[in-house]
Every structure is written in C-alpha cells, then in structure tokens.
Amino acid sequence: MATLGVNIDHVATIREARKTIEPDPVWAAAAAELGGADAITIHLREDRRHIQDRDLEVLRKTVQVKLNLELAMNPLMVDIACRVAPDQVTLVPENREEVTTEGGLDVVRYKKELRATVSKLHDAGITVSLFIDPEPAQIETAASLLVPAVELHTGAYANAAKDSHHELQVLAEAATFVHQAGLILNAGHGLTYRNVTPIAEIQGMEELNIGHSIVARAVFVGMAEAVREMKDLIPR
Ligand code: PXP
C-alpha cells in the first residue's frame, strides 16, 4: 500500500497572497495528519514564494509524521536542510519563472554536483530522494549516486488528455526499473482524485506526494476530510 505525503505549499501560497499570517501551513499540517497523512511535504523555494523559513522551523518541531522537504540543489538551501534536518529531502529542479516544478531533475547532467550534495545530506542523517523523469538513464544514474529513493515525475501522465494509458505504461516500466536498481519507488506531480488510483496500484509504490488537488478540495471540505478522501482512493 502506498503512503500519502500531503504537500501543503499552496496553503502558504494563499497566505503570501496577502503577506499575512493566515492560513497557517502549520495548522494545515496538523489537520492533514488528523486526516491520515503519512508525510507532510513542503518545498522551500529559493524565491520563498510560498513556504517561508519560519514554516520549515516550526513544522520540524510540530510534524509528527515524516517531514519531506523539497529543495533545489543549491548550496545555501542544502545548508538549511542540514541544519533543520527533515526526515527526507527530495531534490528537485527549480526555475524562477516556472509556475510549478516543470520537469524532473536531470541527474545525468548534474551527476558530479549531485554526488557532493547527496553525501552532505547523508552525512546530516537525512534520507535523499531524487525527483526524476521516468527514464532508464535517469534511474540508472540515480542508483549510481547511492540514494535510497527516487520520486518519478507523473506530470506527463497527469497532463495526457487521451494517451494516459501510454504514460501509465511508461511509469509502470520505469517502476520495474527502479526496483531492479534497488531503489525505493515514490511518485508525484499533477495527481488528483480522478487519476491517482492507477498510479497507487503500480507494484511496490511506496509514497505518493500530492499537493494542489488536496488543497483545492480542502477549500470546500476542510483539510482533514480532503486527505481522508484521497487516502480512500489509494488501495490498502
Ligand atoms: N512532487 C514534487 C517533487 C513536486 O515538486 C510537487 C509540486 O511541488 C509535487 C510532488 C506535488 O505536485 P502537485 O501539487 O501537482 O500535486
């Protein structure tokens, strides 16, 4: 059974729209835990457009389930992670103009830089996951970097209007490759109440990270209920 990591970034997006104190992502995390979240995920972006340093500090002290921090491979950000010590860091690419994380981290291209980053995070006792596209070369390189886990980018599947079956097949094949490489299989991006179940059913899926869809639903039914509804769509 796949676990559910609830990404609460967009609760902070609403707060930052007014540069005020509410809604507080710390409250959102507590409510998500009450709804059954297995992990809380936040992305501390370099431009701090949603999650702030204060959120990370407080969440580290208050979150009782696994805390997963998404981060760009930037020495300043990695230093913050090493100091605050979340349970897991997921390394992601980050472009200033993007609305959300667009593609996977090109671990083939950045292999040399990643080696140092991964070892620094491991030395701080943090589990590292790499957010990558579902491609054999990316998976193979991730394994060579000795990380325990990867998160496969499900955006192409989520955005496929007609050919989602093909994209599901691509993810299922990549998942087999992830297991053969001895890595833990996580997945996320663009997953919703409508498209999550086939991804959750992929053999050996460990963790799904879902943000926008759950926060959008939470506006109408509350965070705990939105999380409960998503959990119900993930086969036990
Ligand atoms: N996984 C990663 C690595 C991400 O960068 C994001 C977006 O922050 C997500 C999962 C969640 O994506 P969504 O908000 O589309 O559910």
Side-chain angles (χ1 to χ4, degrees), residues 7 9-10 43 70 90 92 100-101 131 151 188-191 209-213:
N7 182 316
D9 290 349
H10 293 315
H43 184 174
E70 292 176 6
T90 302
V92 300
T100 179
T101 317
F131 181 56
E151 179 175 332
H189 210 282
L191 296 178
N209 279 301
I210 309 180
H212 184 266
S213 188

Side-chain angles (χ1 to χ4, degrees), residues 46-235:
E46 290 173 71
D47 62 11
R48 305 297 198 275
R49 70 170 72 153
H50 39 55
I51 293 294
Q52 305 296 309
D53 297 67
R54 165 269 181 199
D55 302 329
L56 171 62
E57 305 271 353
V58 180
L59 287 165
R60 173 63 295 185
K61 294 192 182 106
T62 54
V63 166
Q64 298 300 308
V65 293
K66 172 173 157 181
L67 181 64
N68 174 36
L69 175 65
E70 292 176 6
L71 213 63
M73 189 188 51
N74 155 326
L76 286 176
M77 304 307 288
V78 172
D79 281 350
I80 293 173
C82 289
R83 186 174 52 74
V84 179
D87 302 289
Q88 177 173 288
V89 160
T90 302
L91 292 172
V92 300
E94 209 173 279
N95 300 314
R96 291 217 169 239
E97 300 306 320
E98 68 191 0
V99 175
T100 179
T101 317
E102 278 160 0
L105 182 62
D106 188 347
V107 298
V108 175
R109 181 170 171 193
Y110 295 111
K111 185 172 172 179
K112 203 167 137 228
E113 296 89 328
L114 274 166
R115 209 173 278 290
T117 304
V118 167
S119 115
K120 200 166 176 195
L121 290 164
H122 278 169
D123 288 350
I126 301 166
T127 299
V128 180
S129 177
L130 301 175
F131 181 56
I132 56 172
D133 288 327
E135 293 166 8
Q138 298 291 334
I139 297 165
E140 211 172 309
T141 306
S144 78
L145 287 165
L146 304 178
V147 291
V150 292
E151 179 175 332
L152 295 182
H153 195 313
T154 52
Y157 161 79
N159 292 332
K162 286 195 202 116
D163 215 7
S164 69
H165 183 73
H166 168 73
E167 297 299 340
L168 181 60
Q169 204 57 37
V170 169
L171 283 161
E173 279 166 25
T176 305
F177 208 67
V178 167
H179 289 131
Q180 284 167 351
L183 295 164
I184 293 168
L185 174 66
N186 303 328
H189 210 282
L191 296 178
T192 68
Y193 294 86
R194 290 190 175 87
N195 67 18
V196 68
T197 302
I199 299 295
E201 283 172 341
I202 290 176
Q203 193 71 31
M205 184 58 71
E206 180 81 17
E207 176 183 282
L208 297 174
N209 279 301
I210 309 180
H212 184 266
S213 188
I214 293 177
V215 174
R217 180 87 183 126
V219 169
F220 298 103
V221 300
M223 179 58 84
E225 176 59 17
V227 172
R228 248 177 249 124
E229 290 177 13
M230 188 60 84
K231 287 278 287 188
D232 282 347
L233 295 168
I234 299 174

